[in-house]
Amino acid sequence: MSSNIFVVGADPFNMEKVRRLNLGVDHRIHELLSFDEVKGGGYYPVEDCLALAEQRLAAFDGSIDAIVGYWDFPVTAMTAILCRRHGLTTPTLESVLRCEHKYWSRLEQCRAIPEFTPGFTQVDPFSDDEINNIELPYPFWIKPVKGTDSLLAFKVRNREDLRSSIAAIRREIHRIAEPFDHILSHARLPEEIVPVKGHHCIVEELVPGRQCTVEGYVHDGEVHHHGIIDSINYPQSSSFLRYQYPSRLPRRVKDRAVEATRELMQHIGYDNATYNVEYFYQPKTEKLVLLEINPRLSQSHSDMFEKVDGASNLQIMAELALGQPPDFPVREGRYGCAAKFHVRVFEDGIATHVPDGNELEQIRQRFPGTLIELKIKPGMRLSELIEQDSYSYDIAHIHTGARNQKELLEKFNRILEALHFEFAPVGADEDKAPAVPGIAVQ
């Protein structure tokens, strides 16, 4: 009899990969909730989605064997809630929130691995008194206690930056605060966390360095890792340029990150699911600082694992949900390294030309193994894109692989030259339109 696996927050690009998984057992994949239903509108109707998921599960004529999701908020929390209701394999909602609630997570990090935890505090952005008495020195980051894709995360260098950041947060934070409060209402919270609502923010020490991510899973209490990925920003920017696998960090640094992650995940009590934990590494001092814990795999890494190791990390997610110990290959893929590149524009504009299907097919034929995700359509204004960081617009993703980093970056630059976007200006600068960054990465 087939096992039935239900996917929360399904999108076409990743669902194609999920449907191709080889799990070694007869199984069927079902879309429980689509990406658009869960978060495609730029808001998060948590209670409506939970009710809709329950209606669809109740109407299903067959066994419910696993419920999975690969997106961040609210998919991670909703998946834990649904699995708990149906007695399925899942981490507890509270362990998920110890990762996702940025303030709660920092408190737990201080208890488990204090030497890896930066300075931080929490603040109510609607309290002038609290804002005027932030104790961390400039510069620092301010962001919601629950974020997604760097939404409303601001680098604050001075008082003027703080004023403008607080204004934007007050204007927009309800979009994520209200649904996060709905999620918190399903959990048993410690007394120190109860007063920190969804509209609160965390203020964190600004830590420079090279960013990397330890990705792995916990199975029956034992913490494993299956890869370390480098995260590389655009020059002089906090916006991501690419994720690259395998990491080029020194072995001793990677070993320290893996050990710190093991201690942390065991302390949090997270079990039987995937995770990814992000760090900053400072080469001069060899200091490692933890950025955040994500209680899920990174779907941004899936194609890279497939290209280098020969299987997607989505396989691990599904195997764990079915109660199976993961069986993941190592370096059995076609390429020596791979990356996911983010094509960004740093000014607002209206898309007047976006590559069509024929143009994309020509690029794929020139560069075999390359996948391109377009995030915009003709006529779209960039500022209407959802879940963007505070400084850029993410217009396309390029997934590709090569023998080594040199070939990888040369290949990306050729692909970028072949991708043709055009934008019309917005506002007063009618003679000045934004352009796709024609950078040569190194």
Side-chain angles (χ1 to χ4, degrees):
M1 183 177 295
S2 293
S3 296
N4 293 296
I5 302 173
F6 294 83
V7 182
V8 177
D11 70 303
F13 183 84
N14 289 289
M15 276 298 286
E16 181 181 348
K17 291 185 176 295
V18 173
R19 294 188 188 283
R20 289 193 286 108
L21 292 177
N22 181 8
L23 303 179
V25 296
D26 190 17
H27 67 280
R28 297 171 62 199
I29 302 295
H30 307 272
E31 180 182 290
L32 182 57
L33 294 167
S34 71
F35 177 88
D36 286 343
E37 288 173 325
V38 173
K39 56 194 295 181
Y43 57 94
Y44 313 94
V46 169
E47 296 298 337
D48 290 344
C49 282
L50 287 172
L52 182 58
E54 291 290 14
Q55 290 175 14
R56 290 172 177 171
L57 291 170
F60 181 72
D61 185 17
S63 62
I64 300 169
D65 300 291
I67 301 175
V68 299
Y70 43 77
W71 289 107
D72 56 7
F73 182 81
V75 171
T76 43
M78 288 172 52
T79 301
I81 292 170
L82 291 168
C83 286
R84 182 174 66 185
R85 290 176 179 176
H86 291 269
L88 302 175
T89 300
T90 184
T92 65
L93 176 60
E94 289 73 20
S95 69
V96 169
L97 291 173
R98 289 186 203 108
C99 301
E100 288 206 328
H101 189 303
K102 292 183 183 297
Y103 181 64
W104 190 0
S105 186
R106 287 300 192 200
L107 293 177
E108 298 300 338
Q109 292 164 35
C110 280
R111 292 163 183 150
I113 51 170
E115 67 274 25
F116 295 87
T117 308
F120 69 98
T121 188
Q122 63 89 14
V123 65
D124 182 346
F126 295 92
S127 168
D128 290 338
D129 184 58
E130 290 190 26
I131 293 166
N132 291 329
N133 288 282
I134 294 173
E135 296 182 354
L136 258 65
Y138 298 114
F140 55 72
W141 282 97
I142 186 168
K143 58 188 80 170
V145 293
K146 179 70 213 96
T148 178
D149 284 334
S150 299
L151 180 69
L152 296 178
F154 295 97
K155 186 184 295 183
V156 177
R157 301 175 182 84
N158 51 47
R159 192 70 188 174
E160 181 58 34
D161 281 356
L162 181 60
R163 278 195 293 268
S164 62
S165 300
I166 290 297
I169 288 169
R170 287 177 173 178
R171 188 169 57 248
E172 299 289 342
I173 198 170
H174 67 278
R175 292 170 48 201
I176 197 161
E178 293 171 6
F180 191 48
D181 281 337
H182 283 305
I183 293 294
L184 293 176
S185 71
H186 289 269
R188 296 180 295 274
L189 304 176
E191 290 184 8
E192 62 190 342
I193 298 303
V194 171
V196 185
K197 305 298 184 182
H199 71 271
H200 281 71
C201 287
I202 188 168
V203 178
E204 297 179 327
E205 174 188 359
L206 190 143
V207 180
R210 296 171 58 183
Q211 190 173 338
C212 68
T213 302
V214 178
E215 178 155 326
Y217 63 93
V218 188
H219 179 244
D220 289 346
E222 187 173 347
V223 182
H224 304 261
H225 91 282
H226 51 266
I228 300 180
I229 295 89
D230 289 332
S231 300
I232 299 159
N233 290 347
Y234 277 83
Q236 310 303 314
S237 171
S238 59
S239 296
F240 280 131
L241 168 60
R242 73 182 185 272
Y243 299 98
Q244 182 173 317
Y245 176 65
S247 170
R248 290 163 59 87
L249 288 174
R251 169 54 58 188
R252 64 185 180 280
V253 176
K254 292 190 276 192
D255 288 345
R256 287 172 55 210
V258 167
E259 178 58 24
T261 300
R262 184 191 64 79
E263 293 180 19
L264 180 59
M265 300 312 290
Q266 287 182 334
H267 169 81
I268 285 173
Y270 183 82
D271 201 4
N272 292 316
T274 56
Y275 67 79
N276 72 88
V277 182
E278 301 175 47
Y279 293 88
F280 281 110
Y281 167 62
Q282 299 169 339
K284 289 185 179 179
T285 62
E286 295 211 339
K287 184 178 181 181
L288 268 173
V289 179
L290 194 148
L291 173 58
E292 65 182 19
I293 316 166
N294 298 300
R296 56 178 174 83
L297 57 78
S298 173
Q299 50 85 22
S300 288
H301 301 163
S302 298
D303 190 72
M304 293 188 294
F305 283 117
E306 195 168 352
K307 282 179 165 55
V308 175
D309 289 327
S312 164
N313 54 2
L314 294 162
Q315 175 180 315
I316 298 174
M317 174 192 73
E319 288 172 332
L320 288 169
L322 290 174
Q324 303 175 11
D327 181 19
F328 197 69
V330 178
R331 304 298 187 269
E332 295 182 13
R334 176 181 175 184
Y335 300 96
C337 67
K340 174 185 178 180
F341 294 89
H342 290 246
V343 182
R344 297 181 183 272
V345 171
F346 292 82
E347 299 177 50
D348 196 6
I350 298 173
T352 57
H353 178 79
V354 176
D356 60 23
N358 290 332
E359 293 174 84
L360 295 180
E361 181 58 32
Q362 290 176 14
I363 294 173
R364 284 192 289 265
Q365 290 180 6
R366 284 182 59 193
F367 306 99
T370 295
L371 302 175
I372 299 174
E373 296 178 85
L374 297 180
K375 299 299 179 180
I376 59 173
K377 298 178 181 179
M380 179 180 290
R381 181 169 175 171
L382 297 182
S383 55
E384 296 173 352
L385 289 165
I386 65 170
E387 294 191 350
Q388 301 296 301
D389 69 24
S390 301
Y391 304 102
S392 69
Y393 303 102
D394 193 7
I395 65 171
H397 299 161
I398 299 171
H399 305 258
T400 195
R403 289 189 304 173
N404 53 48
Q405 178 176 277
K406 181 176 183 296
E407 288 189 5
L408 181 72
L409 300 184
E410 290 174 349
K411 186 176 182 180
F412 167 67
N413 283 321
R414 295 198 305 273
I415 295 169
L416 190 61
E417 290 175 358
L419 275 176
H420 180 59
F421 296 90
E422 292 180 2
F423 301 92
V426 174
D429 272 341
E430 295 297 332
D431 61 338
K432 186 178 179 182
V436 173
I439 60 170
V441 296
Q442 300 176 354

